[in-house]
Coordinates of all heavy atoms in Angstrom, one line a residue:
M1 N -33.9 33.1 2.1 CA -33.5 32.4 0.9 C -34.2 31.0 1.0 O -34.1 30.3 2.0 CB -32.0 32.3 0.8 CG -31.5 31.6 -0.4 SD -29.8 31.3 -0.5 CE -29.6 30.0 0.7
T2 N -34.7 30.5 -0.1 CA -35.3 29.2 -0.2 C -34.5 28.3 -1.1 O -34.1 28.7 -2.2 CB -36.8 29.3 -0.8 OG1 -37.5 30.2 0.0 CG2 -37.4 27.9 -0.8
T3 N -34.1 27.1 -0.6 CA -33.4 26.2 -1.3 C -34.3 25.0 -1.7 O -35.2 24.7 -1.0 CB -32.2 25.6 -0.5 OG1 -32.7 25.1 0.7 CG2 -31.1 26.7 -0.3
M4 N -34.0 24.5 -2.9 CA -34.7 23.3 -3.3 C -34.2 22.0 -2.7 O -33.0 22.0 -2.4 CB -34.7 23.2 -4.9 CG -35.3 24.4 -5.6 SD -37.1 24.4 -5.4 CE -37.6 23.1 -6.5
G5 N -35.0 21.0 -2.6 CA -34.6 19.8 -2.1 C -35.2 18.7 -3.0 O -35.8 18.9 -4.0
L6 N -35.0 17.4 -2.6 CA -35.5 16.3 -3.3 C -36.3 15.4 -2.3 O -35.9 15.3 -1.1 CB -34.4 15.4 -3.9 CG -33.6 16.1 -5.0 CD1 -32.5 15.1 -5.4 CD2 -34.5 16.4 -6.2
T7 N -37.4 14.8 -2.8 CA -38.1 13.8 -2.0 C -37.3 12.5 -2.0 O -36.3 12.4 -2.8 CB -39.5 13.5 -2.6 OG1 -39.4 12.9 -3.9 CG2 -40.3 14.8 -2.7
K8 N -37.7 11.5 -1.3 CA -37.1 10.2 -1.3 C -37.1 9.6 -2.7 O -36.1 9.0 -3.1 CB -37.8 9.3 -0.3 CG -37.1 7.9 -0.2 CD -37.9 7.1 0.8 CE -37.3 5.7 0.9 NZ -38.0 4.8 1.9
G9 N -38.1 9.9 -3.4 CA -38.3 9.3 -4.8 C -37.6 10.2 -5.9 O -37.7 9.9 -7.0
G10 N -36.9 11.3 -5.4 CA -36.2 12.1 -6.4 C -36.9 13.2 -7.0 O -36.4 13.9 -7.9
Q11 N -38.2 13.4 -6.6 CA -38.9 14.6 -7.1 C -38.4 15.8 -6.4 O -38.0 15.8 -5.2 CB -40.4 14.4 -6.7 CG -41.1 13.1 -7.3 CD -41.2 13.2 -8.8 OE1 -41.6 14.2 -9.3 NE2 -40.9 12.1 -9.4
S12 N -38.5 17.0 -7.1 CA -38.0 18.2 -6.5 C -39.0 18.6 -5.4 O -40.2 18.5 -5.5 CB -37.9 19.3 -7.5 OG -39.1 19.6 -8.1
W13 N -38.5 19.2 -4.3 CA -39.2 19.6 -3.1 C -38.9 21.0 -2.8 O -37.8 21.4 -2.7 CB -38.9 18.7 -1.9 CG -39.3 19.3 -0.6 CD1 -38.4 19.8 0.3 CD2 -40.6 19.6 -0.1 NE1 -39.1 20.3 1.4 CE2 -40.4 20.2 1.2 CE3 -41.9 19.4 -0.6 CZ2 -41.5 20.6 1.9 CZ3 -42.9 19.8 0.2 CH2 -42.7 20.4 1.4
H14 N -40.0 21.9 -2.8 CA -39.8 23.3 -2.6 C -40.3 23.7 -1.2 O -41.5 23.8 -1.0 CB -40.6 24.0 -3.7 CG -40.4 25.5 -3.6 ND1 -40.5 26.4 -4.7 CD2 -40.2 26.4 -2.6 CE1 -40.4 27.6 -4.3 NE2 -40.2 27.6 -3.0
P15 N -39.5 23.8 -0.2 CA -39.9 24.2 1.1 C -40.5 25.6 1.2 O -40.0 26.4 0.4 CB -38.7 24.1 2.0 CG -37.5 24.1 1.1 CD -38.0 23.7 -0.3
R16 N -41.6 25.8 1.9 CA -42.1 27.1 2.2 C -42.0 27.4 3.7 O -42.7 26.7 4.4 CB -43.5 27.2 1.6 CG -43.6 27.1 0.1 CD -44.9 27.3 -0.4 NE -45.4 28.7 -0.1 CZ -46.7 29.0 -0.1 NH1 -47.6 28.1 -0.2 NH2 -47.0 30.2 0.2
Y17 N -41.2 28.3 4.0 CA -40.9 28.5 5.5 C -41.9 29.4 6.1 O -42.4 30.3 5.5 CB -39.5 29.1 5.6 CG -38.4 28.2 5.0 CD1 -37.6 28.6 3.9 CD2 -38.1 27.0 5.6 CE1 -36.7 27.8 3.4 CE2 -37.1 26.2 5.0 CZ -36.4 26.6 3.9 OH -35.4 25.8 3.4
L18 N -42.1 29.1 7.4 CA -43.0 30.0 8.2 C -42.5 31.4 8.3 O -41.4 31.6 8.6 CB -43.2 29.4 9.6 CG -44.2 30.1 10.5 CD1 -45.6 30.0 10.0 CD2 -44.0 29.5 11.9
E19 N -43.4 32.4 7.9 CA -42.9 33.8 8.1 C -43.7 34.5 9.1 O -43.1 35.3 9.9 CB -43.1 34.5 6.7 CG -42.2 34.0 5.7 CD -41.9 35.0 4.6 OE1 -42.8 35.8 4.3 OE2 -40.7 35.0 4.1
K20 N -45.0 34.2 9.3 CA -45.8 35.0 10.2 C -46.9 34.0 10.8 O -47.3 33.1 10.2 CB -46.5 36.2 9.6 CG -45.6 37.4 9.4 CD -46.4 38.6 9.0 CE -46.9 38.5 7.5 NZ -47.5 39.7 7.0
L21 N -47.3 34.4 12.0 CA -48.5 33.7 12.7 C -49.4 34.8 13.2 O -48.9 35.7 14.0 CB -47.9 32.8 13.8 CG -48.9 31.8 14.4 CD1 -48.1 30.7 15.1 CD2 -49.9 32.5 15.4
D22 N -50.6 34.8 12.8 CA -51.5 35.9 13.2 C -52.2 35.5 14.5 O -53.1 34.7 14.7 CB -52.7 36.0 12.1 CG -53.6 37.2 12.4 OD1 -53.5 37.8 13.5 OD2 -54.4 37.5 11.5
E23 N -51.6 36.1 15.6 CA -52.0 35.9 16.9 C -53.5 36.4 17.2 O -54.2 35.9 18.1 CB -51.1 36.5 18.0 CG -49.7 35.9 17.9 CD -48.7 36.5 18.9 OE1 -49.2 37.2 19.8 OE2 -47.5 36.4 18.7
S24 N -53.9 37.3 16.4 CA -55.3 37.9 16.6 C -56.4 36.9 16.2 O -57.5 37.0 16.6 CB -55.4 39.2 15.8 OG -55.5 39.0 14.4
T25 N -56.1 35.9 15.3 CA -57.1 34.9 14.9 C -56.9 33.6 15.6 O -57.7 32.7 15.5 CB -57.1 34.8 13.4 OG1 -55.8 34.4 13.0 CG2 -57.5 36.0 12.7
C26 N -55.7 33.4 16.3 CA -55.4 32.1 16.9 C -56.3 31.9 18.1 O -56.6 32.8 18.9 CB -53.9 32.2 17.4 SG -53.5 30.7 18.3
I27 N -56.8 30.6 18.2 CA -57.6 30.2 19.3 C -56.9 29.4 20.3 O -57.5 28.8 21.3 CB -58.9 29.5 18.8 CG1 -58.5 28.3 18.0 CG2 -59.8 30.4 18.0 CD1 -59.7 27.4 17.6
G28 N -55.6 29.2 20.1 CA -54.8 28.5 21.1 C -55.0 27.1 21.2 O -54.8 26.5 22.3
C29 N -55.4 26.4 20.1 CA -55.8 25.0 20.2 C -54.6 24.1 20.4 O -54.7 23.0 20.8 CB -56.6 24.6 19.0 SG -55.6 24.6 17.4
G30 N -53.4 24.6 19.9 CA -52.2 23.8 20.1 C -51.9 22.8 19.0 O -50.9 22.1 19.0
R31 N -52.8 22.8 18.0 CA -52.6 21.7 17.0 C -51.3 21.9 16.2 O -50.6 21.0 15.8 CB -53.8 21.7 16.0 CG -55.1 21.3 16.7 CD -56.2 21.3 15.8 NE -56.2 20.1 14.9 CZ -57.0 20.0 13.9 NH1 -58.0 20.8 13.7 NH2 -56.9 18.9 13.1
C32 N -51.0 23.2 15.8 CA -49.7 23.4 15.1 C -48.5 23.1 15.9 O -47.5 22.5 15.3 CB -49.7 24.9 14.6 SG -49.7 26.1 15.8
Y33 N -48.6 23.4 17.2 CA -47.4 23.0 18.1 C -47.2 21.5 18.1 O -46.1 21.0 18.0 CB -47.8 23.5 19.4 CG -46.7 23.2 20.5 CD1 -45.7 24.2 20.8 CD2 -46.7 22.0 21.2 CE1 -44.8 23.9 21.7 CE2 -45.8 21.8 22.1 CZ -44.8 22.7 22.4 OH -43.8 22.5 23.4
N34 N -48.3 20.8 18.1 CA -48.3 19.3 18.2 C -47.8 18.7 17.0 O -47.1 17.6 17.0 CB -49.6 18.7 18.6 CG -50.0 19.0 20.0 OD1 -49.1 19.2 20.9 ND2 -51.3 19.1 20.3
V35 N -48.1 19.2 15.8 CA -47.7 18.6 14.6 C -46.3 19.0 14.1 O -45.7 18.3 13.3 CB -48.8 18.9 13.5 CG1 -48.5 20.3 12.9 CG2 -48.8 17.9 12.4
C36 N -45.8 20.1 14.6 CA -44.5 20.5 14.1 C -43.4 19.7 14.7 O -43.3 19.5 16.0 CB -44.3 22.0 14.5 SG -42.7 22.6 13.9
S37 N -42.5 19.2 13.9 CA -41.4 18.3 14.4 C -40.2 19.1 14.8 O -39.2 18.6 15.3 CB -41.0 17.4 13.2 OG -40.5 18.1 12.1
R38 N -40.3 20.4 14.6 CA -39.1 21.3 15.0 C -39.5 22.2 16.2 O -40.6 22.0 16.8 CB -38.8 22.2 13.8 CG -38.6 21.5 12.5 CD -37.5 20.5 12.5 NE -36.2 21.2 12.6 CZ -35.0 20.6 12.6 NH1 -35.0 19.3 12.5 NH2 -33.9 21.3 12.7
D39 N -38.5 23.0 16.6 CA -38.7 23.8 17.8 C -39.1 25.2 17.5 O -38.4 26.2 17.8 CB -37.5 23.7 18.7 CG -37.7 24.2 20.1 OD1 -38.8 24.2 20.6 OD2 -36.7 24.6 20.7
V40 N -40.2 25.4 16.8 CA -40.6 26.7 16.2 C -41.6 27.5 17.1 O -41.5 28.7 17.2 CB -41.2 26.5 14.8 CG1 -41.6 27.8 14.2 CG2 -40.1 25.8 13.9
F41 N -42.5 26.8 17.7 CA -43.7 27.4 18.3 C -43.5 27.5 19.8 O -42.9 26.6 20.5 CB -45.0 26.7 18.0 CG -45.3 26.8 16.5 CD1 -45.3 25.6 15.7 CD2 -45.6 28.0 15.9 CE1 -45.6 25.6 14.4 CE2 -45.9 28.0 14.5 CZ -45.9 26.8 13.8
D42 N -44.3 28.4 20.4 CA -44.4 28.5 21.9 C -45.8 28.9 22.2 O -46.3 29.9 21.7 CB -43.4 29.5 22.4 CG -43.1 29.3 23.9 OD1 -43.6 28.3 24.4 OD2 -42.5 30.2 24.5
L43 N -46.5 28.2 23.1 CA -47.9 28.6 23.5 C -47.8 29.4 24.7 O -47.2 29.1 25.7 CB -48.6 27.3 23.8 CG -50.2 27.4 23.9 CD1 -50.8 27.9 22.6 CD2 -50.7 26.0 24.3
K44 N -48.3 30.6 24.6 CA -48.2 31.6 25.7 C -49.6 32.1 26.1 O -50.5 32.1 25.4 CB -47.3 32.8 25.3 CG -45.9 32.4 25.1 CD -45.1 33.7 24.9 CE -43.6 33.3 25.0 NZ -42.7 34.4 24.5
E45 N -49.6 32.7 27.4 CA -50.8 33.3 27.8 C -50.9 34.7 27.3 O -49.8 35.4 27.2 CB -50.8 33.4 29.4 CG -51.2 32.1 30.0 CD -51.3 32.3 31.6 OE1 -50.8 33.3 32.1 OE2 -52.0 31.5 32.2
S46 N -52.1 35.2 26.9 CA -52.3 36.5 26.4 C -53.5 37.1 27.1 O -54.5 36.4 27.3 CB -52.4 36.5 24.9 OG -52.7 37.8 24.4
E47 N -53.4 38.4 27.4 CA -54.6 39.0 28.1 C -55.4 39.7 27.0 O -54.9 40.5 26.2 CB -54.1 40.1 29.1 CG -55.1 40.4 30.1 CD -54.5 41.2 31.3 OE1 -54.3 42.5 31.1 OE2 -54.1 40.6 32.3
I48 N -56.7 39.4 27.0 CA -57.7 40.0 26.1 C -58.8 40.6 26.8 O -59.1 40.2 28.0 CB -58.2 39.0 25.0 CG1 -58.9 37.8 25.7 CG2 -57.1 38.5 24.1 CD1 -60.0 37.3 24.9
E49 N -59.5 41.5 26.2 CA -60.7 42.1 26.8 C -61.9 41.4 26.3 O -62.1 41.3 25.1 CB -60.8 43.6 26.5 CG -61.7 44.4 27.3 CD -61.6 45.9 27.1 OE1 -60.6 46.5 27.5 OE2 -62.6 46.5 26.5
D50 N -62.8 40.9 27.2 CA -64.0 40.2 26.7 C -65.1 41.2 26.3 O -64.9 42.4 26.4 CB -64.4 39.1 27.7 CG -64.9 39.7 29.0 OD1 -65.3 41.0 29.0 OD2 -65.0 39.0 30.0
D51 N -66.3 40.7 26.0 CA -67.4 41.5 25.5 C -67.9 42.4 26.6 O -68.6 43.4 26.3 CB -68.5 40.6 25.0 CG -68.1 39.8 23.7 OD1 -67.1 40.2 23.1 OD2 -68.8 38.8 23.4
Y52 N -67.6 42.1 27.9 CA -68.1 42.9 29.0 C -67.0 43.9 29.5 O -67.2 44.5 30.5 CB -68.5 42.0 30.1 CG -69.5 40.9 29.7 CD1 -69.1 39.6 29.4 CD2 -70.8 41.2 29.5 CE1 -70.0 38.6 29.0 CE2 -71.7 40.3 29.0 CZ -71.3 39.0 28.8 OH -72.2 38.1 28.3
G53 N -65.9 44.0 28.8 CA -64.8 44.9 29.2 C -63.9 44.4 30.3 O -63.1 45.1 30.8
D54 N -64.1 43.1 30.6 CA -63.2 42.5 31.6 C -62.0 41.8 30.9 O -62.1 41.3 29.8 CB -64.0 41.4 32.4 CG -65.1 42.0 33.2 OD1 -65.0 43.1 33.7 OD2 -66.2 41.3 33.2
D55 N -60.8 41.9 31.6 CA -59.6 41.3 31.1 C -59.7 39.8 31.4 O -60.1 39.3 32.5 CB -58.4 41.8 31.8 CG -58.1 43.3 31.4 OD1 -58.5 43.6 30.3 OD2 -57.5 44.0 32.2
Q56 N -59.4 39.0 30.3 CA -59.4 37.5 30.4 C -58.0 37.0 29.9 O -57.5 37.6 29.0 CB -60.5 36.9 29.6 CG -61.9 37.4 30.0 CD -62.4 36.7 31.2 OE1 -61.8 35.7 31.7 NE2 -63.5 37.3 31.8
L57 N -57.6 35.9 30.5 CA -56.4 35.3 30.0 C -56.8 34.2 29.0 O -57.7 33.4 29.3 CB -55.6 34.7 31.1 CG -54.7 35.6 32.0 CD1 -54.0 34.9 33.1 CD2 -53.7 36.4 31.1
M58 N -56.1 34.1 27.9 CA -56.3 33.0 26.9 C -54.9 32.6 26.4 O -54.0 33.3 26.5 CB -57.2 33.4 25.8 CG -56.7 34.4 24.8 SD -57.7 34.6 23.3 CE -57.2 33.1 22.4
M59 N -54.9 31.4 25.9 CA -53.7 30.9 25.3 C -53.6 31.3 23.9 O -54.6 31.2 23.1 CB -53.6 29.3 25.5 CG -53.6 28.9 26.9 SD -52.5 29.6 28.0 CE -50.9 28.8 27.4
V60 N -52.4 31.6 23.4 CA -52.2 32.0 22.0 C -50.8 31.5 21.6 O -49.9 31.5 22.3 CB -52.3 33.5 21.8 CG1 -51.2 34.3 22.5 CG2 -52.3 33.9 20.4
M61 N -50.8 31.0 20.3 CA -49.5 30.5 19.8 C -48.6 31.6 19.3 O -49.1 32.6 18.7 CB -49.8 29.5 18.6 CG -48.6 28.6 18.3 SD -48.1 27.6 19.7 CE -49.5 26.4 19.8
T62 N -47.3 31.5 19.6 CA -46.4 32.5 19.1 C -45.2 31.7 18.4 O -45.1 30.5 18.6 CB -45.8 33.3 20.3 OG1 -45.2 32.4 21.2 CG2 -46.9 34.0 21.0
I63 N -44.4 32.5 17.7 CA -43.3 31.9 17.0 C -42.1 32.1 18.0 O -41.8 33.3 18.3 CB -43.0 32.6 15.7 CG1 -44.1 32.3 14.7 CG2 -41.6 32.1 15.1 CD1 -44.0 33.1 13.4
K64 N -41.5 31.0 18.4 CA -40.3 31.1 19.2 C -39.0 31.2 18.4 O -38.1 32.0 18.7 CB -40.2 29.9 20.1 CG -39.0 29.8 21.0 CD -39.1 28.7 22.0 CE -38.9 27.3 21.4 NZ -38.9 26.2 22.4
D65 N -38.9 30.4 17.4 CA -37.7 30.4 16.6 C -38.0 29.9 15.2 O -37.9 28.7 14.9 CB -36.6 29.5 17.3 CG -35.3 29.5 16.5 OD1 -35.1 30.3 15.6 OD2 -34.5 28.6 16.8
D66 N -38.3 30.8 14.2 CA -38.6 30.4 12.9 C -37.4 29.9 12.1 O -37.5 29.4 11.0 CB -39.5 31.4 12.1 CG -38.7 32.7 11.9 OD1 -37.6 32.8 12.3 OD2 -39.3 33.6 11.3
S67 N -36.2 30.2 12.6 CA -35.0 29.7 11.9 C -34.9 28.2 12.0 O -34.1 27.6 11.2 CB -33.7 30.3 12.5 OG -33.5 29.8 13.8
D68 N -35.7 27.5 12.8 CA -35.7 26.1 12.9 C -36.7 25.4 12.0 O -36.8 24.2 11.9 CB -35.9 25.6 14.3 CG -35.4 24.3 14.7 OD1 -34.3 23.9 14.1 OD2 -36.0 23.5 15.4
C69 N -37.5 26.2 11.2 CA -38.5 25.7 10.3 C -37.9 25.0 9.1 O -36.9 25.5 8.5 CB -39.4 26.8 9.9 SG -40.6 26.4 8.7
I70 N -38.5 23.8 8.7 CA -38.0 23.1 7.5 C -38.9 23.3 6.3 O -38.7 22.7 5.3 CB -37.8 21.6 7.8 CG1 -39.1 21.0 8.3 CG2 -36.6 21.4 8.8 CD1 -39.0 19.4 8.4
G71 N -40.0 24.1 6.5 CA -40.8 24.4 5.4 C -41.8 23.4 5.0 O -42.2 23.3 3.8
C72 N -42.3 22.5 5.9 CA -43.2 21.4 5.5 C -44.6 21.8 5.4 O -45.4 21.2 4.8 CB -43.0 20.3 6.5 SG -43.7 20.7 8.2
Q73 N -45.0 23.0 6.0 CA -46.4 23.5 6.0 C -47.4 22.6 6.8 O -48.6 22.8 6.6 CB -46.9 23.8 4.6 CG -46.0 24.8 3.9 CD -46.3 24.8 2.4 OE1 -47.4 25.2 2.0 NE2 -45.4 24.2 1.6
S74 N -47.0 21.7 7.5 CA -47.9 20.9 8.3 C -48.7 21.7 9.3 O -49.9 21.4 9.5 CB -47.2 19.8 9.1 OG -46.5 18.9 8.2
C75 N -48.1 22.7 9.8 CA -48.8 23.6 10.8 C -50.1 24.2 10.2 O -51.1 24.3 10.8 CB -47.9 24.7 11.3 SG -46.9 25.5 10.1
A76 N -49.9 24.6 8.9 CA -51.1 25.3 8.3 C -52.2 24.3 7.9 O -53.4 24.6 8.0 CB -50.6 26.0 7.0
K77 N -51.8 23.0 7.7 CA -52.8 22.0 7.3 C -53.7 21.7 8.5 O -54.8 21.3 8.3 CB -52.1 20.7 6.8 CG -51.4 20.9 5.5 CD -51.2 19.6 4.8 CE -50.7 19.8 3.4 NZ -49.3 19.7 3.2
V78 N -53.2 21.8 9.7 CA -54.0 21.5 10.9 C -54.7 22.7 11.5 O -55.5 22.5 12.5 CB -53.2 20.7 11.9 CG1 -52.7 19.4 11.4 CG2 -52.1 21.5 12.5
C79 N -54.4 23.9 11.0 CA -55.0 25.1 11.6 C -56.3 25.5 11.0 O -56.4 25.7 9.8 CB -54.0 26.3 11.5 SG -54.6 27.8 12.2
S80 N -57.3 25.5 11.8 CA -58.7 25.8 11.3 C -58.9 27.3 11.1 O -59.9 27.7 10.5 CB -59.7 25.3 12.2 OG -59.6 25.9 13.5
K81 N -57.9 28.1 11.6 CA -58.1 29.6 11.5 C -57.2 30.3 10.5 O -57.2 31.5 10.5 CB -57.9 30.2 12.9 CG -58.7 29.5 14.0 CD -60.2 29.6 13.8 CE -60.7 31.0 14.1 NZ -62.2 31.1 13.9
K82 N -56.4 29.5 9.8 CA -55.5 30.0 8.7 C -54.6 31.1 9.3 O -54.5 32.2 8.7 CB -56.4 30.6 7.5 CG -57.3 29.6 6.9 CD -57.9 30.1 5.6 CE -58.9 29.2 5.0 NZ -58.6 27.8 4.9
C83 N -54.0 30.8 10.4 CA -53.1 31.8 11.1 C -51.7 31.9 10.4 O -51.0 32.9 10.6 CB -52.9 31.4 12.5 SG -54.5 31.4 13.4
H84 N -51.2 30.9 9.7 CA -49.8 30.9 9.3 C -49.7 31.4 7.9 O -50.5 31.2 7.0 CB -49.3 29.4 9.3 CG -49.6 28.7 10.6 ND1 -50.8 28.1 10.9 CD2 -48.8 28.5 11.7 CE1 -50.7 27.6 12.1 NE2 -49.5 27.8 12.6
T85 N -48.5 32.1 7.7 CA -48.1 32.7 6.4 C -46.7 32.2 6.1 O -45.9 32.1 7.0 CB -48.1 34.2 6.4 OG1 -49.4 34.7 6.9 CG2 -47.9 34.8 5.1
F86 N -46.5 31.8 4.8 CA -45.2 31.2 4.4 C -44.5 32.0 3.4 O -45.1 32.8 2.6 CB -45.5 29.8 3.9 CG -46.1 28.9 4.9 CD1 -47.5 28.8 5.0 CD2 -45.3 28.2 5.8 CE1 -48.1 28.0 6.0 CE2 -45.9 27.4 6.8 CZ -47.3 27.3 6.9
S87 N -43.2 31.7 3.2 CA -42.4 32.3 2.1 C -43.0 31.7 0.8 O -43.6 30.6 0.8 CB -41.0 31.9 2.3 OG -40.8 30.5 2.3
A88 N -42.7 32.4 -0.3 CA -43.2 32.0 -1.6 C -42.5 30.7 -2.1 O -41.4 30.4 -1.6 CB -43.0 33.1 -2.6
Ligands
SF4_1 S1 -43.7 24.6 8.2 FE1 -43.3 22.6 9.3 S2 -41.4 22.9 10.4 FE2 -42.1 25.0 9.8 S3 -43.3 25.7 11.6 FE3 -44.8 24.7 10.2 S4 -44.9 22.5 10.9 FE4 -43.0 23.4 11.8
SF4_2 S1 -53.4 25.6 14.9 FE1 -53.9 27.7 14.4 S2 -55.5 28.3 16.0 FE2 -54.5 26.4 16.7 S3 -52.8 27.2 18.1 FE3 -51.9 26.9 16.0 S4 -52.2 28.9 15.1 FE4 -53.5 28.9 16.8

């Protein structure tokens, strides 16, 4: 459920909450983690197969607790890979 809010100046504010994060396109840069003021994300190790068939560890962002999201969409603004999806 999305509730409406107001900006400091009294304009209506429509939060769009984080719904999904595409781990397959994430490069683990950590920018969304750093910009988020809430406790939503967690950077984790993930095992991937490289071009030579060898297993490699890389960092990937995951959603720890999306119930803490305030719907500011700052995470998407700093993500160069368009990993985040939001509620309408
Ligand atoms: S929309 Fe805002 S509060 Fe929600 S996960 Fe992104 S940066 Fe954090
Ligand atoms: S900003 Fe995008 S690419 Fe960087 S860690 Fe977050 S989801 Fe991954």
Side-chain angles (χ1 to χ4, degrees):
M1 184 184 73
T2 303
T3 52
M4 296 290 286
L6 293 177
T7 67
K8 183 179 180 183
Q11 304 289 317
S12 64
W13 159 249
H14 182 153
R16 293 184 63 204
Y17 301 113
L18 181 66
E19 291 205 327
K20 282 190 284 186
L21 191 160
D22 187 351
E23 294 178 20
S24 69
T25 56
C26 174
I27 56 172
C29 69
R31 294 179 76 188
C32 59
Y33 180 94
N34 290 332
V35 80
C36 182
S37 63
R38 310 297 294 183
D39 194 20
V40 176
F41 296 115
D42 198 12
L43 195 59
K44 290 191 170 168
E45 280 186 340
S46 177
E47 202 168 81
I48 58 151
E49 194 172 292
D50 66 18
D51 295 343
Y52 306 101
D54 296 323
D55 290 334
Q56 300 284 346
L57 282 177
M58 68 168 282
M59 300 308 286
V60 65
M61 197 60 70
T62 61
I63 297 175
K64 177 170 73 174
D65 180 12
D66 63 0
S67 69
D68 204 34
C69 175
I70 58 172
C72 68
Q73 300 166 71
S74 297
C75 47
K77 290 201 172 98
V78 297
C79 180
S80 62
K81 306 303 283 185
K82 302 188 187 311
C83 298
H84 309 83
T85 306
F86 298 91
S87 61

